[in-house]
Every structure is written in C-alpha cells, then in structure tokens.
Amino acid sequence: TTTQVSSTTTTKATTTQESPPRWYPHFDSYDETTETMECIYDDLYPDVWNTPSEREAHLFETEESCCEAWDCYPEPPRWYPHFNSYDEATETMECIYDSSYPDVWDTPSLREAHLFETEENCCDTWNCHTETVAPSDEGRWLSNEEGTDCVFMTLPPGMLDADWLFETRDGCCAVSTCPDIVTTTSTEATTTQVSSTTTTQVSSTT
C-alpha cells in the first residue's frame, strides 16, 4: 500500500494600504503677508498624518473644515473705528474699511463692539457723525489700535460700562501692553543780569 501525503503551502501576501485622498494644509503655499495657506485635495500627504494621533489635525473631509483649522482665508475686511483719527474738539473719529484691524477684535468678546458690516453701524457706535455727537462728561481708557499703549477717550454714555474699557490707565495697562513711563525732571536755570551804568562828569574851567 502506498500512502501519498499532500503538502499545501499557503503564502500570505502583505499589501500596503494606500492613503485615501483628503483635504490637508499645503505648507509650501504659506503666505507671510496674509498669514494664510492653501488646503489641497489628494493622497500625497505624509503617511504620518494618517495615524490616529495626527489625523484629526491634518486630514479633512471638506475644504471648509481644513481652512477653518489652517487659515486659508485672510481676515475679511470690515468697518471699524480708527482710534488715531480721534478729534478731541468734536469727540468724534473716523470709521475705516479694510482688514488691518487688530486680530483680538475678531474674537467673540470684542467683535460686536469693534467690527461692522456697514459704515453707518460703525459710526452709530463710535460717533463719526459730528452732527449727532452725544458728548459725555466721562471717558474711559482703552487699548489703542496697535495694542502698544492705552489711550483715554470720551465716549457715548451707553458705552461706558463695556468690559474692555477702564476708568484708570493702570487698569487698562494691567491687561494690555503699555510702554514704561519715563519721568524727566528739568531744572530751570535763572540768570540775573546786572546792568552797570558809568557816569562820567566833565568839568570845564573858564
């Protein structure tokens, strides 16, 4: 009797799973002027981004969600108060339209008071209109546009209780950037001039 033994060899093939296409930040497109970059859609992103610890921060299903995380879009232009144009005589200032406003103004706590869709809304809040000025006997300290110092302004009565206004400069500077105050003492020298008059008497002999 002949017994045949059948031997079966199983070969397991290991395949590398391809990365699925996703929206992701394209770092090479970063623009230093606008501080923005593009989001692009393909499967050429680094493999490490498709790992559990990195996936949520770098890979997205939509362009919108990618851009919300990585700032594809520059700050939109808005109407906002131009503090450097403040006129103490009329207690008014200009509202201007561009995207150069401080980043902190586009935060939930400050956006409503500083950024506006129309010039009229901005001027209603910040008194651009000299013909409708509602002067107040009180003023408040607030951070300037550049965020480099605190300035004092007379504001409409309805704004005096805003939480970003301060009754003292020290209070404002406690939460803002202010330059060091340098006190210069000047000494005034007084010079006394003494006037000397010499009288010469001439006598004649006859």
Side-chain angles (χ1 to χ4, degrees), residues 10 17 27 32 52 73-74 88 96 158 160 162 165 170 176 189 194 204:
T10 303
Q17 183 178 2
F27 291 162
E32 292 185 358
Y73 312 116
E88 293 184 0
I96 57 178
L160 296 177
L165 298 175
D170 289 343
S176 307
V194 179
S204 60

Side-chain angles (χ1 to χ4, degrees), residues 80-161:
Y80 63 93
H82 182 42
F83 290 166
N84 292 340
S85 70
Y86 182 73
D87 185 337
E88 293 184 0
T90 61
E91 298 180 359
T92 62
M93 68 181 74
E94 297 176 0
C95 280
I96 57 178
Y97 183 78
D98 58 40
S99 57
S100 300
Y101 48 83
D103 291 340
V104 69
W105 288 3
D106 198 19
T107 56
S109 62
L110 296 180
R111 187 181 298 122
E112 184 176 354
H114 293 86
L115 302 181
F116 304 88
E117 294 292 334
T118 67
E119 182 181 17
E120 182 179 5
N121 289 343
C122 180
C123 286
D124 285 345
T125 302
W126 289 96
N127 281 345
C128 306
H129 312 298
T130 55
E131 68 275 9
T132 59
V133 171
S136 167
D137 293 334
E138 295 188 66
R140 291 292 186 269
W141 290 91
L142 67 160
S143 179
N144 65 6
E145 288 180 46
E146 295 80 12
T148 57
D149 200 357
C150 285
V151 294
F152 183 84
M153 290 188 179
T154 302
L155 300 169
M159 294 184 62
L160 296 177
D161 294 330

